[in-house]
Amino acid sequence: MKKFYITTPIYYVNAEPHIGGAYTTIAADVLARYHRMIGDNTFFLTGADEHGAKIEKAAEKAGKTPQEFVDELSAKYELAWDELNISNDNFIRTTDENHIKAAQNAMQRLYDKGFIYKGEYEGLYCVGCEQYKTEKELVDGKCPDHNIEPQKVKEECYMFKLSAFQDKILELIESDEFKISPEERKNEVLSFFKNNKLSDISCSRKNVKWGIELPWDKEQTVYVWLEAFLNYLTGIGWDGRSPLLPRNWPPEVQLIGKDILRVHTTIWPAMLLALDLPLPKQLFIHGFFLVDGQKMSKSIGNVIAPGDLVKKYGVDGARYLLMSATPFGHDGDISWEKFDEKYNADLANGLGNLVARSITLAEKMSAGGIKLQKADENFQFSIFNPSASSGQVFQTIFNFQFSIKDMEVENVLKAFQDKLSLFHLEKAIDIINLQIKFLDSFITAVKPWEMIKNNDEQIGKVMYNILERIRIIAWLVWPFMPQTAEKIWVSLGLDLKEEVNKKFEQGVKWGGLPENIKVKKGEVLFPRINSTEL
Ligand code: MSP
């Protein structure tokens, strides 16, 4: 059995969750659900980054102890992810006792191996990034990501020998052994490596008390990024010491936003190389959400909370809108107007309407005593076209391909899987929508309601094809909108437990729909939205 270990960054719990973090988390969830569905041994890790100056300050501002503060906020993150139906296998908190011990063990190991030495560091520190910045990186003296002036920091600390790993990391990135996707991000990193020399970095802080103590010098706490990286290992049970690694290591993919690409391609691989551990197979970098053209940020006041989306569009609506908002890997502009439009077009009028009209037809058919009849996906049949002129009987041959090869189930499934293996989430969604449109226009062209009225002997087969296609579409929908897919199976009269226990390969096999099902009209899947107001 193949394994699939996927991670998100751990989120700073200095403020309530917003949809930037929800975006990475839902994307990871879709991929984790997809890999479970195809039978891979899957582990999905997310969590909270709870130490450091940024959190310490936020807690102070809130008049709370850092521990009280992170307890409250981490709980809000977990709740937000629950509300979005996130299927993470663990939620790591960096204040967990196991993480603290393991991080200390790993730091000790780096120290014992000679990769950490005593020094002094002077630089410009951006608390927002929790990183030292070079003059070159600042715009008008401010950090461009946080729009704040960094603080001058000069302190005694321990240094990590990052400079020792430049050549090795470059080689691993160039050869794709440590793959960076999409390609333009890889090129960006390569050009950084070719034009800059990595310097050693400060890996401890004397003046930050809210952190993990260095085991050999209790005066200092571990630099928050170093221990944060270790979450990817401690979150699957590594103790920081044992040469025996957890069986999920290394990750097949780590999803990150573009703002944390540099640290993930320098400090992170260097730590792993220093610890003699295998590197992740791949980093996938996504872009930013922009709201009405501006970066979503608290200072601008355009932050959207995941709960706001769920309230308006439902859990699956929220998941769908975030996943389809922008090509995964690129920045994208989002707005309530765009969300409303897309929700109505793709979900209310698209999938929701297709399922509702098909179930109504199947109910009518069964009320008329007509039974479903299994048929091949490409079976051909003729229909009477009443709009033909001069009473002429027009025989139109339809088959379910509409002569478009791409509509054959096997091709559709292959294309869908290809897109997901490349992390083209929005393209996988396009494939689903194309199927929905195809089936919808098929129904409009064939007019099964007239076939029912005319007692057409082909109707049992025609309806079988429609419902069977819907059952298969639900399989593609499942990782993106789990509840919706399950509701569809239930309205098709299927035994939900049986359906969800099938492996994908078996589930999407043509003919899985029994002829004797009793369809049930469920609630409206996606009620239309009329206003742009919340
Ligand atoms: N704690 C660090 C990560 C440590 S991982 C070892 C951190 N946390 S964060 O909360 O600031 O950001 C977490 C993730 O959310 C990043 O990948 C970031 O890119 C993403 N997003 C935050 N705002 C975003 C948008 N507006 N749009 C899309 N994602 C963005 O960095």
Side-chain angles (χ1 to χ4, degrees):
M1 196 194 270
K2 278 213 273 185
K3 77 166 192 75
F4 184 74
Y5 174 32
I6 184 166
T7 65
T8 71
I10 46 172
Y11 301 100
Y12 285 128
V13 288
N14 61 318
E16 305 213 358
H18 69 69
I19 59 171
Y23 184 51
T24 330
T25 313
I26 298 171
D29 187 61
V30 168
L31 291 165
R33 284 178 182 273
Y34 167 70
H35 280 271
R36 281 187 208 112
M37 174 171 105
I38 60 171
D40 289 350
N41 188 353
T42 301
F43 197 95
F44 166 20
L45 179 69
T46 188
D49 197 351
E50 303 192 339
H51 287 127
K54 177 152 143 165
I55 307 276
E56 200 172 44
K57 280 195 168 164
E60 195 183 294
K61 203 166 154 208
K64 308 225 158 102
T65 66
Q67 190 63 57
E68 278 168 358
F69 184 73
V70 294
D71 284 349
E72 267 175 35
L73 274 151
S74 274
K76 288 191 178 168
Y77 269 81
E78 286 197 74
L79 194 72
W81 296 168
D82 274 354
E83 258 185 16
L84 286 165
N85 207 359
I86 303 298
S87 64
N88 52 304
D89 296 292
N90 189 12
F91 184 92
I92 177 142
R93 297 182 54 188
T94 53
T95 52
D96 286 347
E97 206 44 50
N98 288 345
H99 173 81
I100 294 175
K101 281 210 185 95
Q104 286 180 321
N105 289 340
M107 290 302 289
Q108 184 72 51
R109 196 162 141 184
L110 290 172
Y111 187 56
D112 295 345
K113 287 176 112 204
F115 290 113
I116 289 179
Y117 61 94
K118 187 87 185 253
E120 192 185 60
Y121 199 82
E122 184 174 359
L124 296 166
Y125 195 80
C126 170
V127 179
C129 297
E130 290 281 17
Q131 280 173 54
Y132 280 104
K133 297 271 151 182
T134 59
E135 295 277 2
K136 232 168 58 184
E137 288 169 319
L138 305 178
V139 176
D140 297 330
K142 291 182 176 171
C143 162
D145 282 348
H146 296 92
N147 205 24
I148 47 171
E149 274 179 33
Q151 304 162 334
K152 265 210 174 93
V153 175
K154 184 179 176 186
E155 61 182 14
E156 203 180 76
C157 64
Y158 287 86
M159 303 289 290
F160 172 60
K161 280 191 186 165
L162 180 62
S163 59
F165 299 96
Q166 173 135 7
D167 296 344
K168 185 68 194 163
I169 298 173
L170 177 62
E171 183 192 314
L172 291 169
I173 293 177
E174 263 176 338
S175 67
D176 281 344
E177 236 177 282
F178 178 40
K179 190 169 176 187
I180 314 290
S181 310
E183 190 71 15
E184 58 268 28
R185 295 288 173 204
K186 174 179 169 180
N187 294 336
E188 182 185 317
V189 175
L190 288 179
S191 107
F192 171 79
F193 267 84
K194 286 173 183 161
N195 295 316
N196 294 277
K197 272 224 139 326
L198 291 182
S199 319
D200 293 351
I201 55 155
S202 155
C203 68
S204 70
R205 298 292 308 271
K206 197 167 184 168
N207 294 319
V208 176
K209 295 290 162 235
W210 182 238
I212 299 178
E213 284 174 357
L214 280 182
W216 67 90
D217 184 345
K218 309 266 186 250
E219 293 263 278
Q220 303 257 352
T221 56
V222 181
Y223 170 41
V224 64
W225 267 102
L226 261 75
E227 57 126 330
F229 282 131
L230 290 167
N231 98 84
Y232 298 136
L233 281 150
T234 63
I236 51 170
W238 191 51
D239 61 5
R241 201 184 342 233
S242 163
L244 203 69
L245 286 168
R247 67 189 165 87
N248 286 307
W249 192 260
E252 270 54 44
V253 66
Q254 303 202 279
L255 301 186
I256 57 168
K258 62 178 184 175
D259 51 335
I260 55 175
L261 171 61
R262 178 77 54 79
V263 279
H264 272 85
T265 47
T266 51
I267 307 176
W268 174 222
M271 284 173 76
L272 289 170
L273 291 170
L275 287 164
D276 277 326
L277 301 178
L279 263 52
K281 300 252 171 64
Q282 180 166 191
L283 285 184
F284 187 93
I285 295 89
H286 66 73
F288 277 154
F289 275 149
L290 311 171
V291 178
D292 299 327
Q294 283 181 299
K295 190 187 169 211
M296 193 172 65
S297 88
K298 272 187 295 159
S299 48
I300 302 173
N302 57 359
V303 164
I304 300 177
D308 296 343
L309 282 189
V310 173
K311 217 173 0 170
K312 193 169 186 192
Y313 307 111
V315 182
D316 282 354
R319 292 171 62 101
Y320 177 86
L321 292 172
L322 292 183
M323 288 303 97
S324 59
T326 150
F328 198 54
H330 301 275
D331 285 354
D333 206 21
I334 55 167
S335 69
W336 286 108
E337 289 74 17
K338 281 190 194 164
F339 281 151
D340 283 356
E341 242 171 63
K342 209 158 178 32
Y343 173 91
N344 280 336
D346 297 355
L347 298 179
N349 299 342
L351 180 60
N353 183 53
L354 170 70
V355 173
R357 81 192 286 213
S358 308
I359 298 291
T360 305
L361 284 168
E363 274 177 344
K364 270 204 186 116
M365 194 180 88
S366 113
I370 315 169
K371 298 217 165 2
L372 283 180
Q373 258 184 295
K374 273 201 182 187
D376 190 70
E377 66 164 305
N378 295 325
F379 93 104
Q380 300 206 331
F381 64 99
S382 34
I383 57 163
F384 171 67
N385 183 346
S387 61
S389 58
S390 63
Q392 186 190 12
V393 175
F394 235 81
Q395 296 283 304
T396 315
I397 304 293
F398 271 93
N399 68 31
F400 277 83
Q401 297 173 66
F402 273 170
S403 339
I404 305 172
K405 262 268 182 256
D406 285 352
M407 295 303 176
E408 278 180 10
V409 170
E410 210 178 295
N411 291 340
V412 170
L413 297 175
K414 189 175 173 316
F416 179 78
Q417 295 199 262
D418 286 349
K419 298 298 174 217
L420 284 184
S421 64
L422 294 170
F423 310 110
H424 292 163
L425 302 180
E426 75 296 339
K427 289 195 181 135
I429 289 181
D430 288 346
I431 290 175
I432 299 174
N433 284 335
L434 204 64
Q435 292 302 298
I436 292 169
K437 282 210 179 87
F438 161 69
L439 203 47
D440 220 25
S441 47
F442 175 79
I443 294 173
T444 306
V446 169
K447 301 190 178 69
W449 53 93
E450 288 186 358
M451 295 176 84
I452 296 171
K453 210 165 61 197
N454 300 336
N455 246 327
D456 189 312
E457 57 174 21
Q458 304 273 27
I459 184 64
K461 287 186 174 176
V462 167
M463 275 315 295
Y464 184 86
N465 271 265
I466 294 171
L467 299 182
E468 176 62 343
R469 273 179 187 270
I470 291 180
R471 187 188 68 82
I472 294 173
I473 288 174
W475 274 91
L476 309 190
V477 164
W478 202 25
F480 291 93
M481 297 187 279
Q483 290 178 354
T484 302
E486 289 167 16
K487 282 184 199 161
I488 294 174
W489 288 326
V490 169
S491 25
L492 287 174
L494 294 166
D495 179 338
L496 187 57
K497 258 211 189 115
E498 235 175 65
E499 200 66 14
V500 302
N501 280 328
K502 286 180 190 167
K503 284 281 162 273
F504 181 67
E505 219 179 312
Q506 182 194 3
V508 295
K509 232 191 214 134
W510 186 267
L513 187 77
E515 285 175 329
N516 61 355
I517 45 139
K518 233 181 128 29
V519 299
K520 311 179 200 108
K521 197 164 206 151
E523 59 193 284
V524 177
L525 288 178
F526 301 102
R528 265 191 78 84
I529 284 186
N530 294 317
S531 91
T532 53
E533 298 302 311
L534 249 185

